Amino acid sequence: MDDVARLIKAADFAAFKHRRQRRKDAEASPYINHPLALARVLKLEAGVAEMDVLVAAILHDTVEDTETTVEELEREFGHAVAAIVAEVTDDKSLPKPDRKRLQVEHAPHISHQAKLVKLADKICNLRDVLDAPPSHWPMERRRAYFEWAKAVIDGLRGVHPGLEHLFDDAYRLKP
Ligand code: ZN
């Protein structure tokens, strides 16, 4: 399967898996907008052209937030993509505070490709908190999210100056 076909297949797969989910903003945007935003940031804003990274970005929340398994991704999209998604997937059997702490602890040790996806995820999430925040999040929670995201990203710097710059641009607008 060529690269364009693989990218289209990933978008279609993620759209189907997330079809019943919505983002937390006031308008309850379709969930697929988020993974597509990661791919846009990576390719259009930061010039990341590596296809495994773009495909993994589109699929990055399917294991964490739907019934998709890493084995299924491996079968459909190959080992490299499945491995990147697995690296950016939180263990949902753990309580939320542990998951947040583990993201900070693990960030320095994940692969280069997973770091690119992680950077794009945090850039998109900061922008969402700024532009279309979850309606029930008080200002204090929005600020705390920014601080936590920065702690994660500070642990993996030196991987892509362009993406890190985009992250810092968003962070500077902290509520
Ligand atoms: Zn995400």
Side-chain angles (χ1 to χ4, degrees), residues 35-36 38-39 42 52-61 84-85 117 120:
L36 290 177
L38 263 69
L42 285 164
D52 284 343
V53 173
L54 298 176
V55 170
I58 289 173
L59 299 170
H60 81 281
D61 275 333
I84 298 168
V85 174
V117 174

Side-chain angles (χ1 to χ4, degrees), residues 23 31 34-35 38 60-61 65 121 125:
R23 299 290 288 168
Y31 198 93
H34 169 65
L38 263 69
H60 81 281
D61 275 333
D65 290 337
D121 194 25
N125 285 341

